[in-house]
Amino acid sequence: MWSGPRNLSTAMMYAFGNRGDMTAVDEPFYGAYLAQTGINHPLAQETMAALDCDPESVAQNLALYPTPHQYEKHMVHHMRPGFPLDWMDEVQNVFLLRHPARVLASYLQKREAPTAEDLGFTQMRRLFDRASRGAIPAVIDSEDVLRNPRTALSALCSALCLPFDDAMLSWPTGPKHFDGPWAPHWYGAVHRSTGFASAPGDVPGVPPGYTDMIDVAMADYTWMRQHRV
């Protein structure tokens, strides 16, 4: 599952991770991303200490989990130039979208002055185009999930040739054993949840200084969204 930040990605991981036939893996390339960029994210040192920071090793180890199916939550901006991508050819790639203005509004609540790279739409489009070399991959919009979780997740499971499981619609409160070490900073709301939030309201306005960034992101968002399940 490829996502940018603040895209409902953790709730989707909790939904799939609550299935009995699924192992959830939380952002396995995050440590490698932090080690290469030196970017000062919250809990960066704890993340690098806990995760494998060698991208080649991370890619090789993705196939070692024991359950019949594996849900990998990936952030598109973690895939730095030179990071291995051949493993994408061996998995089913899904792209999780959210309206760029909603992503920006949510991101600004957690971290100041995000850049276009932080929001991830350009990187997502690049990975989407790579995954499309064989067949168009599955796309799901977070708004569709929030408006009708059962319908949206059933459609996604069908696209992935997975049976739908009612366990995907709710989960227990609190941290999960598969959470990354950054969870205390980023996952507060989803830790308090027992399922998907209600449908979103109107799209928020774009703050001054971000209009051009959102216009560019909208072009990629609109292109990918036309392929949603």
Side-chain angles (χ1 to χ4, degrees):
M1 180 66 76
W2 294 102
S3 174
R6 321 308 294 170
N7 271 25
L8 200 72
S9 59
T10 305
M12 288 290 283
M13 177 176 67
Y14 282 12
F16 277 89
N18 208 41
R19 295 174 59 115
D21 61 354
M22 191 77 63
T23 296
V25 183
D26 195 7
E27 301 183 29
F29 285 94
Y30 196 3
Y33 164 80
L34 291 171
Q36 185 182 100
T37 63
I39 193 168
N40 184 26
H41 275 194
L43 298 174
Q45 294 302 316
E46 291 84 349
T47 297
M48 287 187 288
L51 268 61
D52 186 348
C53 293
D54 177 356
E56 295 287 346
S57 175
V58 173
Q60 292 170 9
N61 289 330
L62 283 175
L64 299 181
Y65 294 87
T67 50
H69 304 291
Q70 178 169 293
Y71 183 94
E72 299 170 9
K73 174 191 171 193
H74 293 290
M75 293 288 106
V76 294
H77 58 285
H78 290 173
M79 305 312 295
R80 300 290 298 166
F83 279 22
L85 293 174
D86 289 350
W87 58 271
M88 288 179 64
D89 302 332
E90 307 300 324
V91 301
Q92 295 188 82
N93 295 283
V94 183
F95 290 81
L96 175 63
L97 304 181
R98 190 184 189 192
H99 192 288
R102 296 189 190 278
V103 175
L104 176 63
S106 181
Y107 204 104
L108 285 170
Q109 295 176 12
K110 290 290 185 178
R111 189 164 181 261
E112 294 181 358
T115 65
E117 183 172 342
D118 290 326
L119 302 189
F121 286 92
T122 299
Q123 300 96 310
M124 182 178 284
R125 175 66 185 276
R126 187 180 306 121
L127 290 165
F128 178 85
D129 289 345
R130 188 194 189 284
S132 300
R133 294 187 306 191
I136 298 296
V139 176
I140 189 163
D141 193 305
S142 63
E143 291 190 29
D144 293 336
V145 177
L146 294 175
R147 292 185 192 285
N148 194 323
R150 180 181 295 275
T151 297
L153 293 177
S154 293
L156 178 57
C157 287
S158 178
L160 299 174
C161 299
L162 280 173
F164 174 73
D165 188 334
D166 280 333
M168 300 173 69
L169 299 177
S170 62
W171 48 82
T173 58
K176 308 298 181 283
H177 68 88
F178 47 78
D179 284 347
W182 52 90
H185 179 82
W186 295 102
Y187 292 1
V190 73
H191 282 170
R192 294 188 294 272
S193 73
T194 57
F196 290 101
S198 58
D202 295 337
V203 175
V206 178
Y210 290 100
T211 301
D212 290 346
M213 181 194 303
I214 295 303
D215 286 347
V216 173
M218 278 297 300
D220 290 325
Y221 168 76
T222 302
W223 174 260
M224 291 182 285
R225 191 174 188 272
Q226 69 179 322
H227 299 292
R228 75 192 193 279
V229 296

